Amino acid sequence: MPYDPSDARSALPTATATRQPDGIYSPAGHVKFYELPAVTTDGDTRTWYGRSQHLVIGYTDLVTPTGFTVPETSDECAVLMPEATTSATVTIDGKTTTVAGQTLTFIPPGAADVRLEGSGRVITIFTARSGAAPGEAANAAAYDEPHPGVAPLISWPDPVGGFQLRTYDLDVPGLTEPAFRIFRCSSFMVNVTHPRNGPRDTTRMSPHSHDDFEQCSLVIDGAFTHHLRWPWTTDLSQWREDEHEHCDSPSLTIIPPPAVHTSQATDAGVNHLIDIFSPPRTDFSLMDGWVLNAADYPMPEAAS
């Protein structure tokens, strides 16, 4: 992978695919929420949903208080509030907990009620298999059939001390280069990168590929161009053209394996992209100190 030597990802272990693509490679998905009607509205609050093979991701523009119910069938899910101007009240088995903004909260499997207040952006993450998302994804039809080459979602071990409401402060340094803040639960991983000002240095791009998992890149500020290139196969009819897809905010891009890809921040102001993976990434997890809550969520024995 052609990472700059100063980029900590240049030391990542090489991943091994657990499932090879069968037939034509899958296309990328670009869900431009700013071009779509909201899936749900509650007063002045609007919410959109997009999905990957294993996840349904919600983006809420919070203006007036709103809420949703997590059904008993749910896996662990998450509420990400990147701004301090929002808050959430989570009720589980009659116990209510108030969570401040600028946090990532993992909600344990099973029923819960969530109330959102304040103003700002709220991101919710659900596994697709649990059917727990409060709304249908705008790109749901793209997954009427499973995509080839994507490894199945097998949950990682239960957290230390059992499942419980766990909240992590985003006001932490994380890595420097790249500017990652990585957290995981039993079924997905969230990389809340630090926002950056101005366009990306085009002499320091990072084209790379993933063997067997999708990358969900959620743009919440600014704009990015997602550059993608698919490997050639022996069947020319299956070749795909390169993509250079410009996406403003908010938007969700699903990057399939094994496409070579890199994302270029292009706005003159703040650019902020959040990456989400399911299941959690083994390569990131093997790097000492990269996953900030690794002590709470153990790796599978085989992976470690």
PDB file of all heavy atoms in Angstrom, residues 2-29:
ATOM      1  N   PRO A   2       0.655   2.192  -0.913  1.00  0.00           N
ATOM      2  CA  PRO A   2       1.551   3.335  -1.044  1.00  0.00           C
ATOM      3  C   PRO A   2       1.253   4.468  -0.071  1.00  0.00           C
ATOM      4  O   PRO A   2       0.881   5.566  -0.448  1.00  0.00           O
ATOM      5  CB  PRO A   2       1.321   3.779  -2.498  1.00  0.00           C
ATOM      6  CG  PRO A   2      -0.086   3.397  -2.779  1.00  0.00           C
ATOM      7  CD  PRO A   2      -0.351   2.154  -1.988  1.00  0.00           C
ATOM      8  N   TYR A   3       1.436   4.194   1.237  1.00  0.00           N
ATOM      9  CA  TYR A   3       1.295   5.252   2.219  1.00  0.00           C
ATOM     10  C   TYR A   3       2.600   6.037   2.300  1.00  0.00           C
ATOM     11  O   TYR A   3       3.697   5.487   2.129  1.00  0.00           O
ATOM     12  CB  TYR A   3       0.972   4.674   3.597  1.00  0.00           C
ATOM     13  CG  TYR A   3      -0.396   4.044   3.714  1.00  0.00           C
ATOM     14  CD1 TYR A   3      -0.537   2.691   3.974  1.00  0.00           C
ATOM     15  CD2 TYR A   3      -1.544   4.820   3.586  1.00  0.00           C
ATOM     16  CE1 TYR A   3      -1.796   2.107   4.100  1.00  0.00           C
ATOM     17  CE2 TYR A   3      -2.799   4.239   3.710  1.00  0.00           C
ATOM     18  CZ  TYR A   3      -2.919   2.895   3.966  1.00  0.00           C
ATOM     19  OH  TYR A   3      -4.155   2.320   4.080  1.00  0.00           O
ATOM     20  N   ASP A   4       2.486   7.324   2.618  1.00  0.00           N
ATOM     21  CA  ASP A   4       3.657   8.121   2.905  1.00  0.00           C
ATOM     22  C   ASP A   4       4.369   7.532   4.124  1.00  0.00           C
ATOM     23  O   ASP A   4       3.712   7.080   5.069  1.00  0.00           O
ATOM     24  CB  ASP A   4       3.212   9.571   3.184  1.00  0.00           C
ATOM     25  CG  ASP A   4       4.381  10.509   3.328  1.00  0.00           C
ATOM     26  OD1 ASP A   4       4.967  10.540   4.434  1.00  0.00           O
ATOM     27  OD2 ASP A   4       4.704  11.220   2.378  1.00  0.00           O
ATOM     28  N   PRO A   5       5.708   7.510   4.153  1.00  0.00           N
ATOM     29  CA  PRO A   5       6.413   6.924   5.297  1.00  0.00           C
ATOM     30  C   PRO A   5       6.054   7.557   6.630  1.00  0.00           C
ATOM     31  O   PRO A   5       6.164   6.908   7.677  1.00  0.00           O
ATOM     32  CB  PRO A   5       7.883   7.157   4.948  1.00  0.00           C
ATOM     33  CG  PRO A   5       7.919   7.234   3.460  1.00  0.00           C
ATOM     34  CD  PRO A   5       6.625   7.899   3.074  1.00  0.00           C
ATOM     35  N   SER A   6       5.600   8.827   6.628  1.00  0.00           N
ATOM     36  CA  SER A   6       5.219   9.492   7.871  1.00  0.00           C
ATOM     37  C   SER A   6       3.823   9.093   8.338  1.00  0.00           C
ATOM     38  O   SER A   6       3.419   9.434   9.455  1.00  0.00           O
ATOM     39  CB  SER A   6       5.281  11.014   7.701  1.00  0.00           C
ATOM     40  OG  SER A   6       4.333  11.447   6.736  1.00  0.00           O
ATOM     41  N   ASP A   7       3.081   8.383   7.494  1.00  0.00           N
ATOM     42  CA  ASP A   7       1.733   7.934   7.820  1.00  0.00           C
ATOM     43  C   ASP A   7       1.828   6.618   8.592  1.00  0.00           C
ATOM     44  O   ASP A   7       2.431   5.646   8.131  1.00  0.00           O
ATOM     45  CB  ASP A   7       0.943   7.727   6.515  1.00  0.00           C
ATOM     46  CG  ASP A   7      -0.540   7.474   6.740  1.00  0.00           C
ATOM     47  OD1 ASP A   7      -0.878   6.709   7.672  1.00  0.00           O
ATOM     48  OD2 ASP A   7      -1.353   8.003   5.974  1.00  0.00           O
ATOM     49  N   ALA A   8       1.227   6.590   9.796  1.00  0.00           N
ATOM     50  CA  ALA A   8       1.317   5.401  10.648  1.00  0.00           C
ATOM     51  C   ALA A   8       0.747   4.165   9.975  1.00  0.00           C
ATOM     52  O   ALA A   8       1.108   3.036  10.340  1.00  0.00           O
ATOM     53  CB  ALA A   8       0.602   5.661  11.977  1.00  0.00           C
ATOM     54  N   ARG A   9      -0.113   4.331   8.978  1.00  0.00           N
ATOM     55  CA  ARG A   9      -0.682   3.179   8.290  1.00  0.00           C
ATOM     56  C   ARG A   9       0.345   2.422   7.459  1.00  0.00           C
ATOM     57  O   ARG A   9       0.091   1.283   7.041  1.00  0.00           O
ATOM     58  CB  ARG A   9      -1.857   3.630   7.419  1.00  0.00           C
ATOM     59  CG  ARG A   9      -3.091   4.015   8.206  1.00  0.00           C
ATOM     60  CD  ARG A   9      -4.162   4.597   7.306  1.00  0.00           C
ATOM     61  NE  ARG A   9      -3.757   5.864   6.721  1.00  0.00           N
ATOM     62  CZ  ARG A   9      -4.505   6.575   5.882  1.00  0.00           C
ATOM     63  NH1 ARG A   9      -5.693   6.118   5.509  1.00  0.00           N
ATOM     64  NH2 ARG A   9      -4.079   7.729   5.405  1.00  0.00           N
ATOM     65  N   SER A  10       1.500   3.019   7.221  1.00  0.00           N
ATOM     66  CA  SER A  10       2.541   2.312   6.466  1.00  0.00           C
ATOM     67  C   SER A  10       3.060   1.098   7.229  1.00  0.00           C
ATOM     68  O   SER A  10       3.692   0.217   6.632  1.00  0.00           O
ATOM     69  CB  SER A  10       3.704   3.259   6.155  1.00  0.00           C
ATOM     70  OG  SER A  10       4.309   3.721   7.355  1.00  0.00           O
ATOM     71  N   ALA A  11       2.765   1.031   8.542  1.00  0.00           N
ATOM     72  CA  ALA A  11       3.203  -0.108   9.362  1.00  0.00           C
ATOM     73  C   ALA A  11       2.098  -1.129   9.595  1.00  0.00           C
ATOM     74  O   ALA A  11       2.284  -2.082  10.358  1.00  0.00           O
ATOM     75  CB  ALA A  11       3.713   0.403  10.712  1.00  0.00           C
ATOM     76  N   LEU A  12       0.933  -0.956   8.949  1.00  0.00           N
ATOM     77  CA  LEU A  12      -0.173  -1.891   9.167  1.00  0.00           C
ATOM     78  C   LEU A  12       0.195  -3.294   8.711  1.00  0.00           C
ATOM     79  O   LEU A  12       0.860  -3.472   7.688  1.00  0.00           O
ATOM     80  CB  LEU A  12      -1.420  -1.437   8.397  1.00  0.00           C
ATOM     81  CG  LEU A  12      -2.237  -0.293   8.987  1.00  0.00           C
ATOM     82  CD1 LEU A  12      -3.308   0.140   7.990  1.00  0.00           C
ATOM     83  CD2 LEU A  12      -2.878  -0.698  10.302  1.00  0.00           C
ATOM     84  N   PRO A  13      -0.265  -4.313   9.455  1.00  0.00           N
ATOM     85  CA  PRO A  13      -0.070  -5.690   8.985  1.00  0.00           C
ATOM     86  C   PRO A  13      -0.891  -5.933   7.730  1.00  0.00           C
ATOM     87  O   PRO A  13      -1.925  -5.312   7.508  1.00  0.00           O
ATOM     88  CB  PRO A  13      -0.578  -6.544  10.154  1.00  0.00           C
ATOM     89  CG  PRO A  13      -1.534  -5.651  10.878  1.00  0.00           C
ATOM     90  CD  PRO A  13      -0.989  -4.258  10.730  1.00  0.00           C
ATOM     91  N   THR A  14      -0.444  -6.844   6.891  1.00  0.00           N
ATOM     92  CA  THR A  14      -1.167  -7.180   5.672  1.00  0.00           C
ATOM     93  C   THR A  14      -2.381  -8.022   6.006  1.00  0.00           C
ATOM     94  O   THR A  14      -2.274  -9.025   6.702  1.00  0.00           O
ATOM     95  CB  THR A  14      -0.259  -7.955   4.701  1.00  0.00           C
ATOM     96  OG1 THR A  14       0.875  -7.135   4.401  1.00  0.00           O
ATOM     97  CG2 THR A  14      -0.993  -8.285   3.420  1.00  0.00           C
ATOM     98  N   ALA A  15      -3.539  -7.607   5.524  1.00  0.00           N
ATOM     99  CA  ALA A  15      -4.774  -8.345   5.802  1.00  0.00           C
ATOM    100  C   ALA A  15      -4.884  -9.547   4.881  1.00  0.00           C
ATOM    101  O   ALA A  15      -4.336  -9.568   3.780  1.00  0.00           O
ATOM    102  CB  ALA A  15      -5.982  -7.430   5.623  1.00  0.00           C
ATOM    103  N   THR A  16      -5.585 -10.562   5.333  1.00  0.00           N
ATOM    104  CA  THR A  16      -5.851 -11.754   4.527  1.00  0.00           C
ATOM    105  C   THR A  16      -7.345 -11.890   4.322  1.00  0.00           C
ATOM    106  O   THR A  16      -8.102 -11.914   5.287  1.00  0.00           O
ATOM    107  CB  THR A  16      -5.313 -13.015   5.227  1.00  0.00           C
ATOM    108  OG1 THR A  16      -3.911 -12.880   5.408  1.00  0.00           O
ATOM    109  CG2 THR A  16      -5.576 -14.250   4.384  1.00  0.00           C
ATOM    110  N   ALA A  17      -7.772 -11.956   3.077  1.00  0.00           N
ATOM    111  CA  ALA A  17      -9.197 -12.044   2.783  1.00  0.00           C
ATOM    112  C   ALA A  17      -9.761 -13.361   3.290  1.00  0.00           C
ATOM    113  O   ALA A  17      -9.140 -14.413   3.154  1.00  0.00           O
ATOM    114  CB  ALA A  17      -9.442 -11.905   1.284  1.00  0.00           C
ATOM    115  N   THR A  18     -10.945 -13.306   3.860  1.00  0.00           N
ATOM    116  CA  THR A  18     -11.634 -14.525   4.279  1.00  0.00           C
ATOM    117  C   THR A  18     -12.637 -14.968   3.236  1.00  0.00           C
ATOM    118  O   THR A  18     -13.172 -16.060   3.312  1.00  0.00           O
ATOM    119  CB  THR A  18     -12.371 -14.301   5.608  1.00  0.00           C
ATOM    120  OG1 THR A  18     -13.326 -13.245   5.447  1.00  0.00           O
ATOM    121  CG2 THR A  18     -11.400 -13.926   6.703  1.00  0.00           C
ATOM    122  N   ARG A  19     -12.893 -14.110   2.251  1.00  0.00           N
ATOM    123  CA  ARG A  19     -13.850 -14.452   1.202  1.00  0.00           C
ATOM    124  C   ARG A  19     -13.460 -13.724  -0.069  1.00  0.00           C
ATOM    125  O   ARG A  19     -13.252 -12.511  -0.062  1.00  0.00           O
ATOM    126  CB  ARG A  19     -15.256 -14.038   1.647  1.00  0.00           C
ATOM    127  CG  ARG A  19     -16.339 -14.344   0.624  1.00  0.00           C
ATOM    128  CD  ARG A  19     -17.692 -13.867   1.136  1.00  0.00           C
ATOM    129  NE  ARG A  19     -18.716 -14.068   0.146  1.00  0.00           N
ATOM    130  CZ  ARG A  19     -19.950 -13.584   0.246  1.00  0.00           C
ATOM    131  NH1 ARG A  19     -20.292 -12.898   1.315  1.00  0.00           N
ATOM    132  NH2 ARG A  19     -20.841 -13.793  -0.689  1.00  0.00           N
ATOM    133  N   GLN A  20     -13.328 -14.428  -1.149  1.00  0.00           N
ATOM    134  CA  GLN A  20     -12.959 -13.826  -2.417  1.00  0.00           C
ATOM    135  C   GLN A  20     -14.207 -13.451  -3.213  1.00  0.00           C
ATOM    136  O   GLN A  20     -15.232 -14.130  -3.127  1.00  0.00           O
ATOM    137  CB  GLN A  20     -12.100 -14.802  -3.228  1.00  0.00           C
ATOM    138  CG  GLN A  20     -10.741 -15.091  -2.598  1.00  0.00           C
ATOM    139  CD  GLN A  20      -9.857 -13.865  -2.554  1.00  0.00           C
ATOM    140  OE1 GLN A  20      -9.980 -12.974  -3.382  1.00  0.00           O
ATOM    141  NE2 GLN A  20      -8.952 -13.824  -1.588  1.00  0.00           N
ATOM    142  N   PRO A  21     -14.145 -12.359  -3.994  1.00  0.00           N
ATOM    143  CA  PRO A  21     -15.300 -11.971  -4.806  1.00  0.00           C
ATOM    144  C   PRO A  21     -15.706 -13.089  -5.766  1.00  0.00           C
ATOM    145  O   PRO A  21     -14.862 -13.791  -6.307  1.00  0.00           O
ATOM    146  CB  PRO A  21     -14.797 -10.743  -5.568  1.00  0.00           C
ATOM    147  CG  PRO A  21     -13.673 -10.209  -4.732  1.00  0.00           C
ATOM    148  CD  PRO A  21     -13.035 -11.403  -4.104  1.00  0.00           C
ATOM    149  N   ASP A  22     -16.993 -13.239  -5.941  1.00  0.00           N
ATOM    150  CA  ASP A  22     -17.539 -14.247  -6.844  1.00  0.00           C
ATOM    151  C   ASP A  22     -18.254 -13.510  -7.964  1.00  0.00           C
ATOM    152  O   ASP A  22     -19.356 -13.001  -7.789  1.00  0.00           O
ATOM    153  CB  ASP A  22     -18.498 -15.170  -6.087  1.00  0.00           C
ATOM    154  CG  ASP A  22     -19.097 -16.242  -6.982  1.00  0.00           C
ATOM    155  OD1 ASP A  22     -18.548 -16.459  -8.075  1.00  0.00           O
ATOM    156  OD2 ASP A  22     -20.109 -16.846  -6.585  1.00  0.00           O
ATOM    157  N   GLY A  23     -17.617 -13.431  -9.124  1.00  0.00           N
ATOM    158  CA  GLY A  23     -18.215 -12.693 -10.221  1.00  0.00           C
ATOM    159  C   GLY A  23     -17.756 -11.251 -10.241  1.00  0.00           C
ATOM    160  O   GLY A  23     -16.711 -10.898  -9.695  1.00  0.00           O
ATOM    161  N   ILE A  24     -18.532 -10.383 -10.828  1.00  0.00           N
ATOM    162  CA  ILE A  24     -18.156  -8.992 -11.026  1.00  0.00           C
ATOM    163  C   ILE A  24     -18.019  -8.266  -9.687  1.00  0.00           C
ATOM    164  O   ILE A  24     -18.748  -8.526  -8.737  1.00  0.00           O
ATOM    165  CB  ILE A  24     -19.190  -8.285 -11.932  1.00  0.00           C
ATOM    166  CG1 ILE A  24     -18.682  -6.922 -12.373  1.00  0.00           C
ATOM    167  CG2 ILE A  24     -20.542  -8.184 -11.228  1.00  0.00           C
ATOM    168  CD1 ILE A  24     -19.517  -6.310 -13.490  1.00  0.00           C
ATOM    169  N   TYR A  25     -17.050  -7.362  -9.627  1.00  0.00           N
ATOM    170  CA  TYR A  25     -16.867  -6.569  -8.420  1.00  0.00           C
ATOM    171  C   TYR A  25     -18.051  -5.623  -8.217  1.00  0.00           C
ATOM    172  O   TYR A  25     -18.655  -5.139  -9.177  1.00  0.00           O
ATOM    173  CB  TYR A  25     -15.582  -5.749  -8.504  1.00  0.00           C
ATOM    174  CG  TYR A  25     -14.310  -6.570  -8.543  1.00  0.00           C
ATOM    175  CD1 TYR A  25     -13.277  -6.222  -9.406  1.00  0.00           C
ATOM    176  CD2 TYR A  25     -14.147  -7.680  -7.722  1.00  0.00           C
ATOM    177  CE1 TYR A  25     -12.100  -6.959  -9.449  1.00  0.00           C
ATOM    178  CE2 TYR A  25     -12.974  -8.421  -7.754  1.00  0.00           C
ATOM    179  CZ  TYR A  25     -11.958  -8.062  -8.623  1.00  0.00           C
ATOM    180  OH  TYR A  25     -10.797  -8.795  -8.652  1.00  0.00           O
ATOM    181  N   SER A  26     -18.349  -5.337  -6.962  1.00  0.00           N
ATOM    182  CA  SER A  26     -19.475  -4.454  -6.651  1.00  0.00           C
ATOM    183  C   SER A  26     -19.123  -3.000  -6.934  1.00  0.00           C
ATOM    184  O   SER A  26     -17.959  -2.595  -6.796  1.00  0.00           O
ATOM    185  CB  SER A  26     -19.865  -4.604  -5.188  1.00  0.00           C
ATOM    186  OG  SER A  26     -20.282  -5.917  -4.905  1.00  0.00           O
ATOM    187  N   PRO A  27     -20.120  -2.184  -7.278  1.00  0.00           N
ATOM    188  CA  PRO A  27     -19.881  -0.750  -7.447  1.00  0.00           C
ATOM    189  C   PRO A  27     -19.798  -0.054  -6.093  1.00  0.00           C
ATOM    190  O   PRO A  27     -20.211  -0.606  -5.065  1.00  0.00           O
ATOM    191  CB  PRO A  27     -21.118  -0.281  -8.214  1.00  0.00           C
ATOM    192  CG  PRO A  27     -22.189  -1.222  -7.748  1.00  0.00           C
ATOM    193  CD  PRO A  27     -21.518  -2.554  -7.567  1.00  0.00           C
ATOM    194  N   ALA A  28     -19.278   1.142  -6.097  1.00  0.00           N
ATOM    195  CA  ALA A  28     -19.345   1.984  -4.907  1.00  0.00           C
ATOM    196  C   ALA A  28     -20.757   2.545  -4.787  1.00  0.00           C
ATOM    197  O   ALA A  28     -21.510   2.612  -5.769  1.00  0.00           O
ATOM    198  CB  ALA A  28     -18.330   3.120  -5.006  1.00  0.00           C
ATOM    199  N   GLY A  29     -21.122   2.939  -3.583  1.00  0.00           N
ATOM    200  CA  GLY A  29     -22.409   3.589  -3.362  1.00  0.00           C
ATOM    201  C   GLY A  29     -22.196   4.990  -2.838  1.00  0.00           C
ATOM    202  O   GLY A  29     -21.413   5.200  -1.906  1.00  0.00           O
TER     203      GLY A  29
END
